[in-house]
Each structure stands twice: as structure tokens, then as C-alpha cells.
Amino acid sequence: MADAGSIAVVGAGTMGMGIAYVFAMAGFATHLVEPDAGRARSAAEAMRKAGNEAVRRGKADAATAEELLASVRFVSAVSDLPQDLDLVIESVPERLDVKRAVLGEIDRRAPRLIASNTSSLSIDALSASVGDPSRFLGMHFFNPVWSLMLVEIVRGRATSDAAIEQAKAFSEAIGKKTAVVADHPGFATSRLDLVLALEAIRMVEDGVSTPEDIDRAVTTAYRHPMGPLRLSDVVGLDVRLDIARHLESALGPHFAPPKLLQDMVARGHLGRKSGKGFYDWPDGSAL
């Protein structure tokens, strides 16, 4: 099996695991950095389940899928990564200080291209941690990564045309389509997605309808694959709240989080990952 290239993903949460999965399944030599052993085991199991589902749907050969996923190398620290990888993608929590620290560690491994999977933080602000910001950009994936076809490529002020073309090529190699956007708060997709999600939450708060019927209206009338409230549960209500607060500070009160969202997060009702949000998720995984 010839490698398509060498990549690493830092962070084995839902997004990081999904990103590593699609690169591995496309034949890339893939590393996944996760210091928490339990989370690393969970990520390996989630990738195995996704591979089995791909086989069941006829999208992958069983032997090939097993070989590709078995080749993913888990490491516990960025310092354990090889030097000179083709691409390293940061996918750690949406906190500027955390991401900057991780990006600084990645930069010391000297990959050819560095990307952040941030959905809302400024690429220019993050680029301060990278020695050569011309080879740094955003590659914003969507959950579930193996199903949703877009990679939003975010160009910082210093990002080179060559880096944009490299990111497009990586995205196309894993079967994705791309949209290139400038480094504005929320980029394109997070702003559009959050407007719909916050308005749906306000509708529940105001007693307009139930989460189920609001989601049914959106999926039926507008052919969205998933309603905004179910999707919010999948994304994580804490993540929604963090992004809303960030965009409120950057863009104004239009993005102010509804009280219902704040109260649910305060109660620990975070959606799928906690087992309860706008929906009940007894197994924590079923869509």
C-alpha cells in the first residue's frame, strides 16, 4: 500500500478523530496525537466503527479498511511526531491560548504545511505562534467528517498562494470540496450555521414549537440533512456557546447566546457527548 503522503492530527476529540480517519482511509500515513490514553482508545474504537460502517455501505473493502486504520500511529505528544511531515492539523479545544501553545509545538516539528481546524478563532491571531505564517492557514472540517464534503480553507493575511493550493490538493485527495474564505470572525460557515442554530434555540425558548418539529420543518422544507437543534447536540452545546460568545464580542448582539443555551450548558446538558441536550442520547453516539 503506497502512502499518499504523511500527515498528523493533534487532538483526538470528535473532529480530530474524524479528520485522522478520512486521511487514513485515503492512504495517507497518519499520526494522531492524544495525551489522554482513554480518549486515544475511544478514538481508535470510533474509527474502527466508522470503517465497519463504510464497509457495510459498500464504500470500502473490509481488508483494505482494516489495514489502513491499523496503520494509524497514536502518539502522546507533538514532540513524538516525525520532522518534516507534509501536513499537521491542529484540532484542540477552541481556546486561543491552548491552540497557540500547540501550534508552537507543531512548528518545531517543521511540517511543510500547518493548519488549524478552528471554526471561529482568527487565523491571523493564531499565526503568531508559527515561525513562517505563509505556510499556515485554516482547514475547517465539519462533523461527521466522513460524511460532510466541505473543507473551508481560511486564508490569513500572510498565507501564501502555494499554501492555499496545497490545502486544496489535500482536501481533494480525501474526496472533499473546498471553499476559500478570508479571515473574518466566524468565517462563512460558522456565521451562517450559528444564525440558524441560535434562532432555533430562541424558538424553543419562546415556546414556538418542539425541537423535533423545528428540526423536521428545516429538514423537510429546506432539505438540510440534519435540523439545527439536533446538529447543535452533535456539535456540542458548550461549543455552540463558546462560538456565540466569541462572535458576539466580535460582531455584536445579533450573536448573543440565548439564556436557554446558557442554562443547558450550566446544567451539563451538552448534547450527544453528555447524553442529553435538546434530545436524549442514551448511547452517546447514535445520530
Side-chain angles (χ1 to χ4, degrees):
M1 177 182 64
D3 291 332
S6 57
I7 75 103
V9 181
V10 182
T14 300
M15 293 305 300
M17 174 275 297
I19 296 167
Y21 170 86
V22 295
F23 274 100
M25 290 291 281
F28 285 81
T30 302
H31 298 73
L32 184 52
V33 180
E34 178 50 60
D36 184 283
R39 181 170 290 184
R41 287 192 296 271
S42 295
E45 176 63 14
M47 286 193 286
R48 187 189 64 79
K49 287 181 178 179
N52 290 343
E53 181 63 16
V55 171
R56 188 186 70 80
R57 294 186 178 187
K59 296 182 177 181
D61 170 79
T64 301
E66 182 177 358
E67 180 184 5
L68 290 170
L69 294 177
S71 72
V72 175
R73 182 185 173 200
F74 284 82
V75 297
S76 60
V78 174
S79 58
D80 294 329
L81 292 174
Q83 293 279 115
D84 303 318
L85 291 169
D86 294 318
L87 168 66
V88 179
I89 301 172
E90 166 275 309
S91 186
V92 300
E94 291 283 286
R95 288 177 45 195
L96 186 62
D97 58 338
V98 174
K99 287 184 179 288
R100 278 178 166 169
V102 168
L103 288 167
E105 294 177 10
I106 291 171
D107 192 54
R108 288 191 285 276
R109 308 313 294 165
R112 293 175 178 84
L113 186 67
I114 302 174
S116 173
N117 181 50
T118 183
S119 58
S120 62
L121 296 178
S122 167
I123 295 301
D124 288 333
L126 292 171
S127 71
S129 299
V130 176
D132 178 7
S134 70
R135 61 189 175 94
F136 176 65
L137 42 62
M139 290 181 71
H140 177 205
F141 293 78
F142 298 83
N143 184 37
V145 180
W146 44 78
S147 297
L148 298 184
M149 299 305 296
L150 182 68
V151 177
E152 186 178 38
I153 297 174
V154 187
R155 181 196 288 270
R157 282 195 299 267
T159 304
S160 68
D161 290 341
I164 295 292
E165 292 307 312
Q166 290 168 21
K168 286 182 178 179
F170 281 116
S171 301
E172 291 166 3
I174 58 173
K176 305 297 187 187
K177 297 182 179 180
T178 61
V180 179
V181 301
D183 183 27
H184 287 283
F187 315 136
T189 55
S190 291
R191 287 175 67 170
L192 292 168
D193 177 47
L194 191 63
V195 166
L196 180 59
L198 294 182
E199 191 59 31
I201 294 169
R202 292 187 190 103
M203 290 167 67
V204 175
E205 190 173 57
D206 292 343
V208 172
S209 191
T210 65
E212 292 84 356
D213 280 340
I214 292 169
D215 279 348
R216 187 177 301 113
V218 172
T219 58
T220 304
Y222 303 118
R223 298 186 179 180
H224 289 203
M226 189 181 299
L229 297 165
R230 183 174 288 271
L231 180 58
S232 293
D233 273 5
V234 172
V235 168
L237 300 187
D238 53 337
V239 175
R240 284 281 196 229
L241 180 59
D242 285 346
I243 295 172
R245 285 172 169 161
H246 172 68
L247 292 186
E248 179 189 17
S249 67
L251 299 172
H254 185 60
F255 289 96
K259 187 175 185 299
L260 175 60
L261 176 60
Q262 297 178 60
D263 290 346
M264 291 177 72
V265 172
R267 292 196 301 269
H269 296 172
L270 309 182
R272 182 174 65 175
K273 60 187 169 186
S274 72
K276 186 171 181 59
F278 289 101
Y279 295 84
D280 291 329
W281 302 87
D283 65 357
S285 61
L287 294 178

